[in-house]
Amino acid sequence: MATFLQDLSPVNKGIVSCLVLYTIYWIVQYSIKLRRQDAIIRKKGCKPVRKYPHRDPVLGLDIFLENAKLLKTGGFWDRTRERYLSLNTWTFSQLLMGDRIINTTEPENIKAILATQFHEFELPPRRKDTFQPVLGHGIFTTDGKEWEASRALLRPNFVRNQIADLNTFDHHISALVSHIPNDGSTFDLQSLFFMLTMDSATEFLFGTSTAVLDGGIASERGERFAEAFTYATERIGTYSRLGKLASLLPDKHFNDSVAYVHEYVHGYVQKAVDLHKKASLSQKFDEKDSSRYVFLEHLAKAGYSEKKIQDELLNILLAGRDTTASLLSYLFYFLARRPDVFSKLRAEIMALGKDLPTFEEIKELKYLQYCLNETLRLYPVVPGNSRTAIVDTTLPVGGGADGKSPVFVKAGQQVNYQVYVMHRRKDLYGEDAMEFKPERWEKLRPSWQFLPFNGGPRICIGQQFALTEASFTTIRILQAFKSIEARDNSPLKELMTLTSAVRGGVHVGMTPA
Ligand code: HEM
Ligand SMILES: *[C@@H]1O[C@H](CO)[C@@H](O)[C@H](O)[C@H]1NC(C)=O
Ligand SMILES: *[C@@H]1O[C@H](CO)[C@@H](O)[C@H](O)[C@H]1NC(C)=O
Ligand SMILES: *[C@@H]1O[C@H](CO)[C@@H](O)[C@H](O)[C@H]1NC(C)=O
């Protein structure tokens, strides 16, 4: 080294010494990091997790390509489950574009990620990158302090709303029922459910419904909004799965859709904010239409900026619309194939003896709750989810030959959990885990092994809203129709957008009561 340096000019000598110093610095830093990680591994007794046996051991393209195909054809989650079964483990690691990620379906690990070690995990960076251009900064797209502020802002609105406004729902459900053919001819119930939840969510959030089910000229703008919103969210789904590759694909329709979504919502936000400004001068705002709860008006009254209100409304619309429609679609998929469940459920509903049940009466319909839970167990509308560790940490189980030892997780490492697979585990639900059997809920009291709405500080804020809307919709449909028949015998496969819906729709025929 010394003789080599003698041959160099003073400037080059400087550069070489810098490089050497930097390399030494890097090696020291790296070994400090390794020793720190090693200390954690030893202290907690971490053992390695099973590694997925890739055909492409460098990037893991084998899974990536197979997944891309399965997302187009359906069957993605069943294949994921098969991979777990063939590895004979509930936690393993694999490569995703060369990065080593961890997959788990252990209730204890999921509880750690979402609750007990909540502060050590965040949303994967990709979720923020892909969602924020459409949804801005809101409860669904942020972490840390920003998320805490959103959650605190929105929470009171949901608590108050738990005494859900059934009259508002009722108008939209009646519109849906009037679209169901009375002559028993075949139609797609799922597409009606997506219209229903769009109409009712926009009414609840903006105070003005997209009114797609009402038809007519008034709903033209609403229809265009629903289409633009659907397209934008489908694209976000694809982007978040393809990652960097997707940003290379120019998509003018996507840009136009996002622009229309923003313009449409901005119109309502501006109206509410202006109205509030005028009203606070004349103090008349509170009296206006006080029977109806409108989310937007409450945010405007609290004095938040137009941008903030718009972002939060879009976040909630995304979280609340497809999810409830998918739950209803999967439920009616089963009802159309299980006359025994249908008639037991209908008997419970008819025994109410009245058209419009109250919120409390709905909660008393036990078999209806069993059916909803059983649907969410077999077809959770958010079948998988992920988080990224922000510090070096551990998960409680999954390591070693028996999978009982803790597992080391590096800062920056992604951990995925698939509730779809967990909800079908025979060791958790019994030998009949794969069957649709609402009666199992007579005895089940699951905690972290049943997770359709997530858990911990980020648990779904709209759970009561969703279950009330789904229950009420089911009640009204079963009051109006005495039987339902499946008109399509293709095997059940999912259509993944941001959530899981029934691929091809739910084609049925119904007989009026
Ligand atoms: C069957 C219907 C629904 C299901 C299965 C469902 C499921 C979920 C799940 C799994 C999450 C966690 C997402 C994550 O953290 O990565 C979530 C979050 C959320 N949900 Fe729901 N949801 C439903 C309906 C609704 C409704 C109707 C609303 C609002 C009206 C809503 C509002 C939200 C919000 C705002 C969040 C974000 C909470 C946060 O990050 O703090 N959801 N939901
Ligand atoms: C692990 O989870 C990710 C995210 O859900 C998924 O893309 C991947 O296919 C899973 N791995 C296997 C082997 O199923
Ligand atoms: C879409 O919008 C992005 C960001 O605003 C822009 O960079 C891109 O060029 C636009 N693409 C098309 C096809 O219009
Ligand atoms: C349905 O599941 C929820 C958890 O999401 C649970 O709190 C509730 O008790 C279950 N309902 C019934 C009827 O078992």
Side-chain angles (χ1 to χ4, degrees), residues 369-370 373 441 445 450 463:
Q369 310 307 321
Y370 297 167
N373 274 12
W441 289 91
R445 286 292 163 266
F450 182 61
Q463 180 173 346

Side-chain angles (χ1 to χ4, degrees), residues 87 95 144 385:
L87 283 169
L95 294 168
N385 209 330

Side-chain angles (χ1 to χ4, degrees), residues 135 139-140 158 197-206 210 225-226 229-230 233 261 264-265 310-324:
L135 300 175
I139 187 168
F140 209 71
F158 278 96
T197 53
M198 183 54 111
D199 284 355
S200 58
T202 46
E203 168 130 38
F204 163 66
L205 293 171
F206 312 149
T210 40
F225 172 73
F229 189 76
T230 304
T233 49
V261 165
Y264 183 90
V265 177
Q310 172 171 325
D311 286 359
E312 295 297 359
L313 289 178
L314 279 174
N315 274 254
I316 298 170
L317 184 61
L318 172 90
R321 183 253 181 151
D322 289 14
T323 45
T324 313

Side-chain angles (χ1 to χ4, degrees), residues 455-466:
R458 282 194 99 131
I459 192 170
C460 175
I461 213 173
Q463 180 173 346
Q464 281 310 318
F465 184 99

